[in-house]
C-alpha cells in the first residue's frame, strides 16, 4: 500500500486567507442521474408490486432502513463533533448536512408501509384484530405493544421528531454544541426503538439488545462514506482549496475506526447469540446464514470491515485520490447489502429469490436517487461550504494540528 | 478556557514544580493517608491468608451464588483499569492536547487497578497454588485449557492488556525519570536516587533521536492499547453473556461493559485528581478545564450506560421470557432492591448534575458525583453478578447472598491496596507528564490560550 503512487486528492498548498465562494451548487447532470435512479426505483417497485407484493415491500423496507440509518448517521457524525468541540469537520459540514436529508423518504415509506405493506412483512401486523394475534405472544402486554396503531404512532412519531431536530440543527454558521447534544440524545435513544420496530419486529420473537448500537454504527459508517466521496468530488474542482490532505487523512482514519467498531459490534452480537443457543435468537441468524444467504453475509462483512481496513491501513493510501473513495464505495455497497440481508431472508428463507437481489437493488437505487436529489437541493440552497464559519479557514490551513 | 498565566511558566519551572514532591519530605496528610491505605492493604493480605488456611468457605458464596464479591469486585477493578488507558491512548489518538494534565495519573491508575483485579480470579479458583494450570503448559496428563471457554480467553485478554498497559505507562515515564535523575541532589541519598533513576530512564539523553523514537513508540502503543482495552473488557462481558443466566445473556454486554468501565474509571480518576492537585499544588497543571472535560465525557458515557439499562429492561419484557422478566422484577422489588435503586441514584440521577457548567466546575460537586458513580458502578457489578445468580432458572436453588466479615475486609482491603500504590507512586514519579505538559503549556504560551481550547 505504501508504494501507491496515486496523486493526493488535494496536495499540500500554501495557507489561504479566505476561501472563494463558488455560489450555489448547480449539477444538472448529477440531478439528472438522481432523477433516473429515482425512476428506476419507482419502476422496479411497481413491477415487483404487480408480481410479488411482499417482495416489493421488503425491498422498500430494506432501502428505507438504509436511507434512515445513513441520514441519521450523517447528522450524528456532525453532532458528535459539534458536541465535542472538534473543528476539523468545518469543511465537510455542508456535505454531512446534505446527506442527512433522507428523513422525508423515511416518512413517506413508513406511511406507505403503514397503509399497505406492513401486513405483508410483519405477521403480527397482519393478524391484528384476530384471535391469532393474541396467540403469537405469551402475554397481553406484548400483544398490546405489537399492534399496528402503536407501531405506526411510534415509528412515524420518532421520524417526525428527528425531522424537527434536523431542521433545528442544519444550516447556519458554526458549531451548535447544545443542539448537537439534544440531537444525539434523542436520535440515539429513538434509533434503538425504531430499529426494534422496523427490523427486529420482522420476527416478533427475536430479541437483541445490541440492535440500536448496530444501527447507529452502521449508519455512521455509511454516512461517513458518503461524506468522503462528496469531499473527494468537491476537492477536484469546486473546492480544490478547501479540502486539504489532512482532512482526507482524518476522514480515512475515521473510516478505519468505524470499520473496526462495526466489526466489533456485529461479531459480538453474533458470538453471544451463537454461544447462547436460544432458539428465539439463533433462528434469526440461521435463516440468514443458509441457503445462499451466508454468501451475502460474507460479502457484507468483507465490504464493511476487512476491505476498507486493509486498504486504508497505510497513511499514504488514506489520503490517496482513489483508495479512499473506493473504500467508501465498498462500505456503501456493504451498507445497503446489510439492510437487504436483514430484511429479504425473512421473506425468502429457502434461498435467493428470482433474479437474486437485483430487483431489491433497483428499489434501493431509487431511494439513493431520491437521497441524492434531496442533498443536491440542500446544497443549491445552502451552498457546499460553510462560508462565514470561523473555524473554516483555520482548519483549511491546518492550524488545529499545530 | 481560563488558562494559567503563561508568562509565569518556564520549562525549568514546570520541571521544578512537578519533580518537587519527589525530593521533599511527605506531608502529614500524605503520611496519614498512606498509613490508612496501607493498613487496609494489610487487611487485604490477611483475608487472602485466612482464605488459604481456611478455604473458600470464609466468604459468603454458596452453591447458588458461586460468583460473589470476588467476581463483582474483579469486574469493578478491571473497569477502573480500562478507563485509565482509554483516557490516555484514545485522547492521544484524537489529538486532545488537554490530556497531558491527566494522562499520567490515569495510566498509573490502570496499572494499579489491574494488578488488584488480577488477584481476584486467582484466589477465586479455590486452589490458588495451582493457578499456573491456566497457562498452556505441557503436562503429564496431556490436559489443556478449554479454549472454547471465555474464562480462558479472559486469562489471555488480561495478561495481554496488563503487559501493554505497563509498557505504555513505563514508556511515558522514561523522559520524566531522566528529568528526576538530573535533579537528584548531590548527597549520599541523592546519589542513590540518581543511580535508581538512571537505571529507570534507560540512558535517556533527550536527543532528537531519543524523542523521535519515543514519540513514535508512544503513538504505536496507543494504537495497540486501544483495541486491547476494548477487547479485554468485552471478553469479560462475553464471559457472562454467553451463559444463559437471566440478566447475563444480553448481546449488548460487550459495549455496555466497556462504556460502564470508562464511566467508573473516569469517576475514579476524578477522585484521584481532585485531591492530588491541591495536595501537590498542581492547580496550574491539572486545571478546572481538565476536570470539566472529564466530567463531560463522564456524562456522555453515563448516558450510554443509561441507554443500556433501559434497553436491558425493555429486552427482558419484550422477550416474554419468564426467567428474564423475573430477574429484572427481582432487581426492582426483591430483597436487594436497595442495591438496585442506589445504583440508579448514583449512576443515573447524580450525573444529571453534570449538564450544568457551573456544577461541572465545582470541585465539591465533582467529588460527590465521582464518589457516587464509583459506588454505583460497584453496585452495578454486584447486581449483575449476585442478583442474577440468586434468581436463576431453578426456583428450588434460589438463595440470598450475604457478605461475611471477610468479604467486607477483602473489599475494603482492595481499595487500601489501590490507594497505597497510588500514594507511593506520587512520591517516586511525577504525577503529571513533564515532557508532555511542557509541549502543551509552552506551545500555548507561544500561540495563545485559545489554541488549546479547541482542536482536533
Amino acid at each position: 500500500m505504501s508504494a501507491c503512487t496515486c496523486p493526493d486528492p488535494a496536495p499540500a498548498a500554501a495557507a489561504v486567507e479566505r476561501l472563494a465562494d463558488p455560489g450555489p451548487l448547480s449539477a444538472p447532470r448529477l440531478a439528472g442521474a438522481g432523477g433516473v435512479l429515482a425512476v428506476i426505483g419507482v419502476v422496479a417497485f411497481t413491477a415487483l408490486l404487480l408480481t410479488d407484493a411482499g417482495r416489493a415491500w421488503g425491498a422498500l423496507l430494506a432501502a428505507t432502513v438504509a436511507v434512515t440509518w445513513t441520514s441519521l448517521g450523517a447528522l450524528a457524525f456532525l453532532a458528535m463533533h459539534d458536541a465535542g468541540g472538534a473543528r476539523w469537520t468545518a469543511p465537510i459540514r455542508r456535505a454531512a448536512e446534505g446527506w442527512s436529508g433522507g428523513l422525508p423518504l423515511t416518512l413517506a415509506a413508513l406511511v406507505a408501509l403503514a397503509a399497505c405493506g406492513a401486513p405483508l412483512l410483519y405477521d403480527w401486523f397482519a393478524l391484528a384484530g384476530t384471535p391469532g394475534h393474541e396467540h403469537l405472544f405469551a402475554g397481553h402486554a406484548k400483544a398490546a405493544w405489537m399492534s399496528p396503531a402503536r407501531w405506526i404512532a411510534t415509528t412515524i412519531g420518532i421520524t417526525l421528531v428527528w425531522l424537527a431536530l434536523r431542521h433545528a440543527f442544519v444550516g447556519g454558521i458554526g458549531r451548535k454544541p447544545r443542539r448537537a447534544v439534544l440531537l444525539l440524545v434523542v436520535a440515539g435513544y429513538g434509533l434503538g426503538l425504531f430499529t426494534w420496530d422496523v427490523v427486529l419486529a420482522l420476527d416478533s420473537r427475536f430479541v437483541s439488545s445490541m440492535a440500536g448500537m448496530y444501527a447507529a454504527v452502521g449508519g455512521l459508517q455509511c454516512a461517513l462514506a458518503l461524506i468522503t466521496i462528496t469531499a473527494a468530488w468537491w476537492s477536484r474542482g469546486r473546492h480544490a482549496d478547501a479540502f486539504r490532505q489532512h482532512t482526507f487523512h482524518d476522514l480515512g482514519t475515521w473510516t478505519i475506526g468505524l470499520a473496526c467498531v462495526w466489526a466489533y459490534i456485529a461479531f459480538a452480537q453474533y458470538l453471544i447469540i451463537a454461544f447462547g443457543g436460544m432458539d428465539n435468537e439463533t433462528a434469526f441468524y440461521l435463516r440468514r446464514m443458509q441457503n445462499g444467504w451466508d454468501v451475502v453475509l460474507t460479502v457484507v462483512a468483507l465490504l464493511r470491515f476487512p476491505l476498507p481496513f486493509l486498504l486504508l491501513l497505510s497513511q499514504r493510501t488514506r489520503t490517496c485520490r482513489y483508495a479512499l473513495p473506493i473504500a467508501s464505495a465498498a462500505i456503501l455497497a456493504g451498507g445497503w447489502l446489510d439492510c437487504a440481508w436483514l430484511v429479504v431472508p425473512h421473506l425468502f428463507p429457502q434461498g435467493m429469490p428470482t433474479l437474486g437481489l437485483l430487483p431489491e437493488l433497483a428499489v434501493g437505487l431509487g431511494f439513493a436517487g431520491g437521497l441524492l436529489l434531496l442533498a443536491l437541493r440542500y446544497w443549491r440552497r445552502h451552498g457546499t461550504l460553510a462560508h462565514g464559519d470561523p473555524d473554516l479557514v483555520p482548519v483549511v490551513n491546518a492550524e488545529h494540528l499545530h | 478556557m481560563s488558562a494559567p498565566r503563561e508568562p509565569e511558566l518556564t520549562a525549568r519551572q514546570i520541571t521544578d514544580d512537578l519533580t518537587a514532591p519527589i525530593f521533599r519530605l511527605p506531608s502529614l496528610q500524605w503520611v496519614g493517608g498512606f498509613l490508612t491505605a496501607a493498613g487496609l492493604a494489610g487487611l487485604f493480605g490477611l483475608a487472602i491468608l485466612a482464605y488459604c488456611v481456611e478455604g473458600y468457605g470464609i466468604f459468603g458464596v454458596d452453591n447458588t451464588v458461586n460468583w460473589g464479591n470476588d467476581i463483582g469486585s474483579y469486574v469493578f477493578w478491571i473497569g477502573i483499569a480500562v478507563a485509565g488507558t482509554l483516557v490516555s491512548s484514545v485522547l492521544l489518538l484524537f489529538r486532545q492536547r488537554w490530556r497531558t494534565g491527566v494522562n499520567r495519573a490515569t495510566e498509573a491508575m490502570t496499572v494499579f487497578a489491574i494488578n488488584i483485579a488480577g488477584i481476584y480470579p486467582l484466589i477465586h479458583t479455590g486452589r490458588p497454588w495451582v493457578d499456573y494450570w491456566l497457562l498452556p503448559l505441557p503436562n503429564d496428563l496431556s490436559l489443556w485449557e478449554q479454549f472454547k471457554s471465555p474464562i480462558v480467553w479472559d486469562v489471555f485478554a488480561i495478561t495481554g492488556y496488563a503487559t501493554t498497559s505497563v509498557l505504555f505507562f513505563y514508556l511515558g515515564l522514561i523522559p520524566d525519570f531522566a528529568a528526576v535523575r538530573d535533579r537528584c541532589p548531590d548527597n549520599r541519598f541523592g546519589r542513590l536516587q540518581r543511580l535508581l533513576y538512571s537505571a529507570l530512564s534507560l540512558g535517556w539523553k533527550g536527543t532528537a533521536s531519543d524523542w523521535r523514537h519515543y514519540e513514535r513508540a508512544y503513538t504505536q502503543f496507543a494504537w495497540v492499547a486501544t483495541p486491547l482495552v476494548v477487547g479485554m473488557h468485552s471478553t469479560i462481558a462475553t464471559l457472562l453473556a454467553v451463559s444463559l443466566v437471566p440478566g447475563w445473556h444480553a448481546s449488548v454486554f460487550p459495549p455496555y461493559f466497556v462504556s460502564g468501565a470508562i464511566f467508573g474509571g473516569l469517576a475514579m480518576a476524578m477522585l484521584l485528581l481532585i485531591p492530588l492537585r491541591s495536595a501537590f499544588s498542581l492547580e496550574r497543571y491539572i486545571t478546572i478545564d481538565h476536570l470539566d472535560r472529564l466530567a463531560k465525557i463522564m456524562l456522555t458515557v453515563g448516558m450510554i450506560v443509561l441507554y443500556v439499562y433501559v434497553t436491558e429492561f425493555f429486552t427482558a419484557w419484550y422477550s416474554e421470557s419468564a426467567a428474564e422478566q423475573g430477574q429484572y422484577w427481582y432487581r426492582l422489588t426483591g430483597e436487594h432492591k436497595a442495591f438496585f435503586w442506589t445504583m440508579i441514584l448514583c449512576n443515573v440521577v447524580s450525573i444529571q448534575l453534570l449538564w450544568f457548567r457551573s456544577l461541572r466546575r465545582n470541585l465539591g460537586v465533582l467529588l460527590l458525583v465521582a464518589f457516587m458513580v464509583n459506588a454505583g458502578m460497584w453496585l452495578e457489578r454486584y447486581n449483575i453478578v449476585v442478583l442474577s445468580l440468586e434468581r436463576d432458572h431453578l426456583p428450588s436453588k434460589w438463595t440470598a447472598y450475604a457478605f461475611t466479615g471477610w468479604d467486607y475486609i477483602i473489599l475494603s482491603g482492595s481499595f487500601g491496596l489501590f490507594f497505597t500504590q497510588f500514594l507511593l507512586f506520587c512520591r517516586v514519579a511525577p504525577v503529571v507528564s513533564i515532557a508532555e505538559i511542557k509541549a502543551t503549556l509552552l506551545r500555548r504560551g507561544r500561540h495563545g490560550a485559545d489554541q488549546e481550547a479547541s482542536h482536533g
Side-chain angles (χ1 to χ4, degrees):
Chain A
M1 294 296 178
S2 59
C4 172
T5 54
C6 71
D8 296 329
V16 294
E17 287 189 7
R18 60 184 297 276
L19 291 163
D21 184 357
L25 176 70
S26 171
R29 277 191 297 179
L30 204 58
V36 169
L37 288 176
V39 170
I40 289 173
V42 172
V43 170
F45 178 72
T46 311
L48 275 177
L49 208 55
L50 295 173
T51 53
D52 184 346
R55 189 174 179 188
W57 291 110
L60 182 115
L61 183 67
T64 306
V65 171
V67 165
T68 310
W69 288 358
T70 305
S71 294
L72 270 184
L75 265 185
F77 186 76
L78 209 51
M80 274 163 45
H81 287 84
D82 274 17
R87 297 193 298 169
W88 75 272
T89 47
I92 57 168
R93 170 170 287 280
R94 292 285 183 256
E97 289 174 350
W99 289 121
S100 70
L103 293 173
L105 295 175
T106 307
L107 191 63
L110 285 173
V111 170
L113 278 166
C116 310
L120 298 169
L121 297 175
Y122 308 105
D123 53 354
W124 53 269
F125 203 108
L127 292 170
T130 70
H133 184 259
E134 285 281 332
H135 294 152
L136 284 174
F137 308 105
H140 293 297
K142 187 168 178 186
W145 177 260
M146 302 298 274
S147 72
R150 202 279 314 160
W151 185 89
I152 292 166
T154 308
T155 52
I156 293 182
I158 289 172
T159 310
L160 288 172
V161 171
W162 287 340
L163 275 166
L165 284 171
R166 177 182 180 270
H167 182 71
F169 183 67
V170 302
I173 302 296
R175 285 172 272 147
K176 306 174 192 73
R178 287 173 192 273
R179 291 179 199 182
V181 169
L182 179 69
L183 191 145
L184 285 172
V185 172
V186 176
Y189 280 64
L191 183 61
L193 191 53
F194 181 88
T195 305
W196 275 83
D197 268 342
V198 173
V199 180
L200 268 62
L202 287 167
D203 177 353
S204 59
R205 294 183 65 223
F206 178 64
V207 291
S208 171
S209 44
M210 187 77 101
M213 291 200 184
Y214 185 85
V217 175
L220 279 171
Q221 203 190 10
C222 288
L224 181 64
L226 275 175
I227 294 165
T228 304
I229 290 171
T230 311
W233 163 37
W234 289 346
S235 74
R236 295 177 69 178
R238 187 170 177 80
H239 293 305
D241 51 349
F243 292 94
R244 301 287 176 88
Q245 200 174 35
H246 59 83
T247 299
F248 286 96
H249 183 271
D250 287 341
L251 287 168
T253 308
W254 267 95
T255 304
I256 286 190
L258 283 174
C260 293
V261 177
W262 179 85
Y264 163 70
I265 296 282
F267 180 69
Q269 177 175 258
Y270 168 75
L271 178 76
I272 289 167
I273 287 176
F275 255 65
M278 309 266 284
D279 62 348
N280 65 322
E281 295 174 356
T282 50
F284 179 88
Y285 272 106
L286 276 176
R287 188 175 277 206
R288 288 161 177 80
M289 291 180 71
Q290 54 192 3
N291 301 327
W293 296 113
D294 45 348
V295 178
V296 178
L297 173 61
T298 307
V299 175
V300 169
L302 285 172
L303 291 173
R304 298 199 84 162
F305 173 56
L307 197 146
F309 180 80
L310 294 174
L311 195 59
L312 302 178
L313 203 52
S314 150
Q315 291 214 16
R316 174 79 183 138
T317 53
R318 224 173 297 164
T319 53
C320 167
R321 178 177 292 179
Y322 306 114
L324 196 52
I326 287 172
S328 300
I331 288 169
L332 281 177
W336 170 78
L337 202 56
D338 190 7
C339 295
W341 176 79
L342 286 170
V343 174
V344 183
H346 174 74
L347 302 169
F348 298 95
Q350 72 283 8
M352 202 65 78
T354 315
L355 296 175
L357 288 173
L358 280 178
E360 283 77 9
L361 177 63
V363 175
L365 287 175
F367 269 73
L371 180 60
L372 177 62
L373 290 173
L374 287 167
L376 288 171
R377 181 165 161 264
Y378 181 84
W379 294 323
R380 205 164 46 243
R381 289 183 174 182
H382 297 269
T384 45
L385 213 53
H387 281 284
D389 185 340
D391 291 334
L392 188 59
V393 172
V395 168
V396 168
N397 290 330
E399 287 173 19
H400 62 301
L401 299 176
H402 301 299
Chain B
M1 179 173 180
S2 58
R5 295 277 165 260
E6 286 79 11
E8 296 173 12
L9 282 172
T10 61
R12 182 188 185 88
Q13 189 180 352
I14 291 172
T15 310
D16 287 344
D17 286 351
L18 296 176
T19 54
I22 299 167
F23 297 116
R24 67 172 174 235
L25 285 173
S27 64
L28 278 178
Q29 293 99 315
W30 185 92
V31 172
F34 178 76
L35 288 177
T36 309
L40 287 171
L43 287 177
F44 186 78
L46 183 70
I48 292 177
L49 187 67
Y51 150 72
C52 288
V53 173
E54 293 289 326
Y56 211 69
I58 65 167
F59 299 121
V61 287
D62 55 33
N63 283 340
T64 299
V65 184
N66 41 27
W67 282 8
N69 170 40
D70 284 353
I71 300 301
S73 297
Y74 157 70
V75 181
F76 172 80
W77 284 112
I78 284 285
I80 301 295
V82 164
T85 299
L86 276 175
V87 165
S88 187
S89 60
V90 174
L91 294 183
L92 175 73
L93 298 178
F94 276 90
R95 299 195 295 259
Q96 298 293 306
R97 292 188 196 110
W98 61 271
R99 68 181 272 286
T100 52
V102 300
N103 71 313
R104 172 64 49 75
T106 57
E107 286 167 20
M109 182 180 87
T110 291
V111 173
F112 305 145
I114 203 162
N115 67 39
I116 295 169
I119 293 171
Y120 279 110
L122 292 180
I123 60 172
H124 198 267
T125 55
R127 293 179 179 80
W129 45 90
V130 292
D131 279 345
Y132 67 90
W133 286 1
L134 286 163
L135 301 172
L137 298 170
N139 60 75
D140 293 342
L141 298 174
S142 296
L143 287 173
W144 293 90
E145 291 81 357
Q146 171 54 281
F147 285 106
K148 286 181 183 174
S149 163
I151 293 177
V152 176
W153 308 345
D154 206 21
V155 175
F156 291 101
I158 293 190
T159 312
Y161 177 61
T163 309
T164 309
S165 57
V166 168
L167 288 174
F168 187 53
F169 175 54
Y170 182 65
L171 188 69
L173 276 166
I174 290 174
D176 288 2
F177 279 145
V180 178
R181 173 197 65 195
D182 298 340
R183 272 175 167 63
C184 289
D186 196 16
N187 55 34
R188 184 177 292 177
F189 183 64
R191 282 193 288 277
L192 187 65
Q193 275 184 311
R194 185 174 299 137
L195 192 67
L196 179 69
Y197 284 107
S198 294
L200 288 171
S201 58
L202 302 177
W204 177 271
K205 292 190 182 71
T207 62
S209 168
D210 281 355
W211 282 110
R212 194 173 62 249
H213 287 105
Y214 165 80
E215 285 177 5
R216 179 176 288 183
Y218 198 65
T219 310
Q220 286 174 353
F221 260 106
W223 275 112
V224 173
T226 304
L228 256 182
V229 71
V230 173
M232 181 202 61
H233 214 57
S234 299
T235 305
I236 292 165
T238 310
L239 196 147
L240 300 168
V242 296
S243 74
L244 297 180
V245 174
W248 288 3
H249 182 66
S251 56
V252 81
F253 256 37
Y256 168 34
F257 270 45
V258 173
S259 47
I262 300 168
F263 187 44
L266 286 169
M268 181 62 88
M270 292 245 203
L271 273 185
L272 295 173
L273 289 168
I274 294 172
L276 189 70
R277 66 194 288 276
S278 75
F280 291 115
S281 306
L282 299 173
E283 288 87 350
R284 288 195 294 183
Y285 304 101
I286 303 170
T287 65
I288 292 286
D289 291 300
H290 293 139
L291 299 173
D292 183 13
R293 284 161 193 243
L294 284 179
K296 281 182 186 171
I297 302 176
M298 204 162 93
L299 177 62
T300 307
V301 281
M303 294 304 287
I304 296 174
V305 169
L306 171 60
Y307 169 83
V308 178
Y309 289 166
V310 174
T311 307
E312 273 192 315
F313 274 84
F314 179 76
T315 307
W317 172 78
Y318 187 93
S319 70
E320 298 199 294
S321 155
E324 288 287 340
Q325 290 177 348
Q327 169 57 222
Y328 284 94
W329 188 247
Y330 178 67
R331 289 187 192 183
L332 289 174
T333 62
E335 57 193 293
H336 291 146
K337 62 177 182 283
F339 289 168
F340 176 82
W341 291 110
T342 309
M343 178 194 86
I344 293 294
L345 176 71
C346 292
N347 288 353
V348 177
V349 179
S350 76
I351 61 162
Q352 305 310 320
L353 294 173
L354 303 179
W355 286 105
F356 305 99
R357 186 170 188 270
S358 59
L359 297 180
R360 282 200 307 271
R361 303 175 78 83
N362 181 316
L363 295 183
V365 171
L366 281 183
L367 262 182
L368 175 71
V369 172
F371 178 80
M372 289 182 77
V373 169
N374 265 301
M377 288 310 294
W378 186 85
L379 284 170
E380 180 194 291
R381 277 60 178 257
Y382 182 90
N383 288 336
I384 292 173
V385 174
V386 172
L387 270 56
S388 292
L389 290 173
E390 280 186 349
R391 289 293 181 273
D392 202 342
H393 288 279
L394 198 59
S396 61
K397 254 180 78 182
W398 288 357
T399 184
Y401 171 83
F403 265 37
T404 65
W406 289 111
D407 281 304
Y408 286 111
I409 288 173
I410 203 164
L411 175 62
S412 52
S414 68
F415 283 91
L417 185 56
F418 176 77
F419 286 110
T420 302
Q421 295 177 86
F422 194 81
L423 286 167
L424 278 175
F425 165 74
C426 295
R427 301 285 314 159
V428 298
V431 289
V432 174
S433 171
I434 299 174
E436 293 191 66
I437 199 98
K438 270 184 192 170
T440 304
L441 291 183
L442 299 180
R443 177 207 312 269
R444 204 172 56 184
R446 287 196 303 273
H447 295 292
D450 291 342
Q451 284 286 328
E452 199 219 359
S454 58
H455 43 71

